[in-house]
Amino acid sequence: MGLTYQMKMKIPFDMADMNGHIKLPDVILLSLQVSGLQSIDLGISDKSMLEKYNLVWIITDYDIDVVRLPKFGEEMTIETEALSYNRLFCYRRFTIYDEAGNAIINMLATFVLMDRDSRKVHAVEPKIVAPYEAEFSKKLIRGPKYPDLKEPISKDYHVRFYDLDMNGHVNNSKYLDWIFEVMGADFLMKHIPRKIHLKYVKEVRPGGQITSSYNLEGLESNHQISSDGDINAQASIIWRSCDDRR
């Protein structure tokens, strides 16, 4: 197992939704901030990765379990740990704890290295990941198969300048924004995710337009982000009622 790193914070007003819960896209942003701070402390920041190797970290998959969502003003602790790596993939855990020390959100993220110029996946070199003290494992963690959407509900969104990060591609939390937003306010006011699988397939081009589509059956939804005839991201979500305290 790898080194762990933590950060505490109180949830500010602008990160809370209309129910007072933290927005899950912000959980992803904050979690990546924590892993970035760990990398800086270990001397392998994103900036140094670019300068030394011309490489950037890209996330391909998320597996997220939500026990409950913390609320505005509540203090939470974000903990991260680089778990393992193989020739192509690196696996990192994020755990969100409440003030009592209970784990309330668990996330597993799959990372790959990408050459910034060629946009091609680069093999993971042991010297790059050695400071995290993660173990090498040939085991691959595979996500689910995502079904084709049949007669989905869809909505178009324009890709704005502030949707992009400094690597010039759409910030990965933005995809979750598009996935949630298309569900509509009435649904989102009454439901929160319990389980999310999210897969990034292809980068969205800056300045273009995406289509967010979904099918909903009971409390299970399947999603697709597409643009220019290509699938950019897919997701499967199991929801629960906001009144359900399980």
Side-chain angles (χ1 to χ4, degrees):
M1 307 299 276
L3 298 175
T4 61
Y5 190 92
Q6 289 188 345
M7 181 181 78
K8 291 182 183 288
M9 67 164 293
K10 285 194 174 183
I11 299 165
F13 179 82
D14 62 346
M15 287 188 180
D17 64 17
M18 290 177 65
N19 286 321
H21 298 128
I22 191 170
K23 303 167 189 173
L24 265 175
D26 285 329
V27 173
I28 288 179
L29 281 174
L30 291 169
S31 297
L32 294 180
Q33 179 183 343
V34 174
S35 62
L37 289 172
Q38 181 186 36
S39 296
I40 291 171
D41 276 7
L42 295 174
I44 44 176
S45 67
D46 289 347
K47 182 179 179 181
S48 67
M49 288 287 290
L50 270 175
E51 292 174 348
K52 291 181 181 179
Y53 309 107
N54 199 41
L55 297 175
V56 294
W57 287 108
I58 300 295
I59 296 174
T60 63
D61 296 82
Y62 277 113
D63 183 345
I64 306 173
D65 289 287
V66 179
V67 177
R68 73 173 183 87
L69 292 172
K71 292 198 168 189
F72 163 63
E74 184 176 352
E75 184 177 83
M76 66 180 183
T77 300
I78 302 174
E79 180 179 85
T80 190
E81 175 186 13
L83 295 175
S84 65
Y85 72 97
N86 51 53
R87 193 176 70 87
L88 290 178
F89 300 106
C90 297
Y91 303 108
R92 178 177 282 275
R93 169 185 67 85
F94 296 95
T95 306
I96 314 300
Y97 297 98
D98 65 13
E99 294 175 338
N102 301 307
I104 55 175
I105 302 175
N106 293 288
M107 299 194 298
L108 178 67
T110 302
F111 288 76
V112 298
L113 283 169
M114 185 182 76
D115 184 281
R116 187 179 185 183
D117 294 333
S118 70
R119 294 309 221 204
K120 292 183 178 179
V121 172
H122 191 281
V124 178
E125 299 179 20
K127 65 180 180 180
I128 293 177
V129 295
Y132 298 105
E133 299 185 16
E135 64 180 18
F136 177 84
S137 173
K138 292 183 179 180
K139 181 180 178 181
L140 297 177
I141 300 176
R142 302 185 185 278
K145 291 185 177 180
Y146 296 91
D148 294 330
L149 302 187
K150 298 178 180 179
E151 299 182 357
I153 297 171
S154 301
K155 187 174 181 179
D156 295 334
Y157 296 92
H158 182 71
V159 181
R160 303 169 304 174
F161 177 82
Y162 289 112
D163 294 333
L164 308 177
D165 62 23
M166 66 181 186
N167 292 322
H169 58 76
V170 175
N171 190 286
N172 68 75
S173 69
K174 186 61 189 177
Y175 292 79
L176 203 55
D177 262 337
W178 290 326
I179 286 167
F180 287 160
E181 183 67 25
V182 74
M183 302 293 290
D186 288 345
F187 184 87
L188 296 175
M189 283 293 294
K190 298 174 183 176
H191 301 86
I192 63 170
R194 183 163 61 87
K195 177 76 173 179
I196 300 174
H197 285 289
L198 174 58
K199 180 179 182 64
Y200 300 98
V201 181
K202 186 177 182 179
E203 289 183 84
V204 170
R205 291 183 178 276
Q209 182 172 284
I210 68 94
T211 300
S212 180
S213 306
Y214 77 97
N215 287 142
L216 177 64
E217 185 173 342
L219 290 177
E220 297 187 22
S221 60
N222 290 292
H223 300 259
Q224 182 174 293
I225 302 295
S226 58
S227 63
D228 300 323
D230 295 320
I231 296 175
N232 301 101
Q234 295 170 290
S236 293
I237 305 176
I238 300 175
W239 301 84
R240 68 171 174 84
S241 167
C242 288
D243 297 327
D244 184 353
R245 303 302 179 186
R246 291 175 295 176

